[in-house]
Amino acid sequence: MVNNIKFYLSLIIARCVHFAVVHIAHSQGTSLAGKIVLKFYPQFLSHCKKYIENQVITVSGTNGKTTTSGLVSHILETDKNKVIHNLKGANMLTGIANVFSLNISPIRRFDYAVIESDEAYLNKLYDYINADYLIVTNLFRDQLDRYGELATAASFIQKAIDKDDNLKLILNADDPLVTNFGTNRQDVVYYGFENVEYHYQTDKSNAPTEVFNCICGKPLEYTKHFFAQQGHYKCSCGYKRPECKYNASVDVYTDYSVIKLNETVYTTHLVGLYNAYNALAAISYALENNIQSETIQSALDTYKSIFGRTEKRIINGHNTLIQLIKNPTGASEVLKTVDLSSNIVIAINDNYADGRDISWLWDSDFELLKNAKRKVITSGIRANDVATRLKYAGIPCDKIIIEPSIRKAIELAAKGEDKDIPITILPSYTALLKINKEKI
């Protein structure tokens, strides 16, 4: 009875805090209400599970969490389900509690919960919520000051998985680190690409690639190598890429991809191979749960990217594409897709949520921008560092403009009468938050 009272009071407190944050502080309020609720009632998330009628689906990994969880949620909604989802990407416990506290009411139930979880917080999340599914996208080196090396990030996820023998895993078979999570598990499904075909000119990334050894200690050998450690791998000891239940091929075009899976063709208008992987992960979950292919394609057709994940906007009449960058592999894959005829803004901060360590800029393949036809504007707290990196990437200094103010940088990119010139914005996480807060 006491817990019920605390839970209902938490819902009231959350709504009051959120109202104040949005209308007084003029913030989006993605975490503060959740932080206060968890202080007031630490077991709040445990209480939320009874408001979910069917499944709780969690999504984790280094890159692609927000897009994959967004696609899964949208597919379920297209299939006429009520879904609660932390769609704005606030993926620590406070952000997850924030979403639940603002959407749950005593008389409202949801069919599904789709929860994007930060790798380091997944284990803590599972202390409160027993998930039905975990989708793991990939594991790349990211924010060394927060996560440490890849083995540390992998251990966070492994500890979470070990808590529940009934958890169903959907894993990226093309990532040798991710497939290890399926070892000694009965209920695991793999997805991956058999073939990848590019239908536009793209330079091969020269970004450093992690070298992985088999569990026997020998280096893995690749028969097909897509990007970073993603591909078809094997070892002389017999270890190899696992058999995929959802084994697809993909044709990657400049602004869409065509995925062929079991004689069915799916089209996603998200750009880049990395987004094709995200789409395949969501498709695999949907097919695993008997959702019709027509419904899946309808969801892919109507899905709208949000919060800097291939997000499209119109700024001062210019078509604008916003793509979050935050680590070497993710940034290098995004850089492959940049329209070199666009005005480019690269806005990098080094706040806690970005990661204080910005050495990843030097491991990202900014050389892919050396043929940029127009100005490249560096912005954010580390605008000067980015400009230095671009100079060494071979971009002429007369094309590089340093403007620390993110608002002014974007205004500069959008200045001019020729509205046919597109804009590309590549922000770090808190730079993206600033863009959204100031409604640029």
Side-chain angles (χ1 to χ4, degrees):
M1 183 64 180
V2 172
N3 286 344
N4 282 338
I5 293 172
K6 281 190 171 183
F7 181 76
Y8 297 140
L9 283 174
S10 297
L11 301 181
I12 296 170
I13 291 169
R15 284 159 170 79
C16 292
V17 170
H18 185 71
F19 181 88
V21 168
V22 171
H23 295 282
I24 298 175
H26 303 292
S27 172
Q28 292 192 37
T30 58
S31 296
L32 183 59
K35 182 177 182 179
I36 292 174
V37 161
L38 290 179
K39 285 284 187 182
F40 174 73
Y41 182 30
Q43 295 300 314
F44 174 79
L45 287 171
S46 298
H47 209 119
C48 291
K49 181 64 187 287
K50 67 181 182 180
Y51 289 86
I52 312 302
E53 301 284 357
N54 293 330
Q55 295 176 1
V56 173
I57 304 104
T58 49
V59 182
S60 197
T62 306
N63 289 347
K65 297 185 291 292
T66 299
T67 300
T68 300
S69 60
L71 285 167
V72 169
S73 178
H74 191 57
I75 290 170
L76 289 169
E77 288 173 336
T78 304
D79 201 36
K80 310 301 182 185
N81 294 292
K82 295 178 182 178
V83 183
I84 186 169
H85 167 48
N86 54 333
L87 78 167
K88 291 186 179 179
N91 55 27
M92 299 181 187
L93 288 187
T94 53
I96 296 166
N98 202 85
V99 170
F100 277 90
S101 64
L102 296 176
N103 287 277
I104 284 176
S105 69
I107 59 173
R108 189 179 186 190
R109 296 291 190 273
F110 292 89
D111 299 306
Y112 295 87
V114 180
I115 304 173
E116 171 193 342
S117 177
D118 180 283
E119 305 95 287
Y121 283 83
L122 185 67
N123 186 37
K124 296 177 183 178
L125 176 65
Y126 284 1
D127 285 336
Y128 302 105
I129 293 179
N130 291 326
D132 298 282
Y133 279 91
L134 171 63
I135 301 171
V136 184
T137 56
N138 48 59
L139 280 176
F140 301 131
R141 186 158 51 91
D142 184 37
Q143 297 190 27
L144 296 179
D145 54 326
R146 287 183 60 206
Y147 297 116
E149 292 295 341
L150 282 169
T152 304
S155 71
F156 291 147
I157 297 177
Q158 188 64 63
K159 288 177 181 177
I161 291 172
D162 291 343
K163 285 185 174 179
D164 188 354
D165 292 336
N166 296 316
L167 180 67
K168 300 174 184 177
L169 303 180
I170 298 180
L171 305 178
N172 179 1
D174 294 346
D175 188 323
L177 282 179
V178 171
T179 57
N180 286 334
F181 296 134
T183 304
N184 301 320
R185 300 284 300 197
Q186 296 298 316
D187 212 342
V188 55
V189 169
Y190 294 100
Y191 66 91
F193 286 116
E194 184 63 29
N195 292 297
V196 174
E197 191 75 32
Y198 285 96
H199 292 267
Y200 62 92
Q201 183 64 38
T202 179
D203 294 330
K204 183 177 180 180
S205 174
N206 293 312
T209 299
E210 301 285 349
V211 177
F212 297 102
N213 288 348
C214 177
I215 53 176
C216 74
K218 297 177 183 177
L220 290 172
E221 300 173 4
Y222 281 81
T223 56
K224 294 181 181 179
H225 197 182
F226 301 141
F227 72 92
Q229 73 267 22
Q230 311 279 313
H232 294 196
Y233 45 87
K234 63 179 182 178
C235 179
S236 58
C237 74
Y239 177 75
K240 61 181 181 179
R241 173 182 181 260
E243 292 291 327
C244 288
K245 183 173 181 178
Y246 301 104
N247 200 30
S249 63
V250 61
D251 292 276
V252 185
Y253 296 86
T254 54
D255 53 359
Y256 69 98
S257 292
V258 177
I259 298 170
K260 300 173 184 175
L261 175 62
N262 299 333
E263 307 303 322
T264 303
V265 176
Y266 301 94
T267 301
T268 173
H269 292 280
L270 299 172
V271 301
L273 176 58
Y274 55 96
N275 272 322
Y277 269 105
N278 298 334
L280 182 58
I283 291 167
S284 300
Y285 165 80
L287 293 175
E288 195 67 11
N289 285 273
N290 301 312
I291 296 176
Q292 296 298 311
S293 297
E294 294 80 5
T295 302
I296 297 171
Q297 185 57 62
S298 178
L300 292 173
D301 288 339
T302 56
Y303 177 73
K304 293 182 179 179
S305 299
I306 60 164
F307 205 63
R309 277 69 170 187
T310 323
E311 182 182 358
K312 297 178 181 179
R313 296 187 188 179
I314 303 295
I315 297 179
N316 193 28
H318 296 263
N319 288 323
T320 302
L321 182 65
I322 305 175
Q323 300 225 67
L324 174 74
I325 57 173
K326 63 190 183 79
N327 56 49
T329 298
S332 296
E333 287 302 300
V334 166
L335 288 164
K336 286 181 183 178
T337 70
V338 171
D339 182 352
L340 297 180
S341 68
S342 64
N343 286 329
I344 301 168
V345 177
I346 305 172
I348 303 298
N349 289 339
D350 62 353
N351 295 312
Y352 173 75
D354 303 294
R356 301 288 190 187
D357 180 358
I358 62 161
S359 62
W360 63 271
L361 292 172
W362 293 91
D363 292 335
S364 303
D365 201 357
F366 285 98
E367 283 73 12
L368 292 167
L369 300 182
K370 64 185 177 183
N371 293 320
K373 295 180 174 58
R374 305 185 189 280
K375 52 195 170 190
V376 182
I377 305 166
T378 67
S379 189
I381 297 170
R382 304 310 289 259
N384 289 314
D385 299 83
V386 179
T388 301
R389 175 68 184 95
L390 295 182
K391 174 185 175 182
Y392 282 94
I395 298 173
C397 290
D398 60 357
K399 285 187 177 178
I400 302 172
I401 300 172
I402 301 173
E403 175 46 73
S405 166
I406 295 173
R407 173 175 284 280
K408 290 180 180 178
I410 295 174
E411 288 174 350
L412 184 59
K415 189 176 181 180
E417 297 300 322
D418 190 350
K419 304 303 182 185
D420 291 332
I421 298 175
I423 299 171
T424 300
I425 304 175
L426 307 177
S428 66
Y429 182 73
T430 64
L432 177 60
L433 286 175
K434 188 172 184 64
I435 291 170
N436 284 347
K437 180 178 180 180
E438 296 190 3
K439 299 179 180 179
I440 298 173

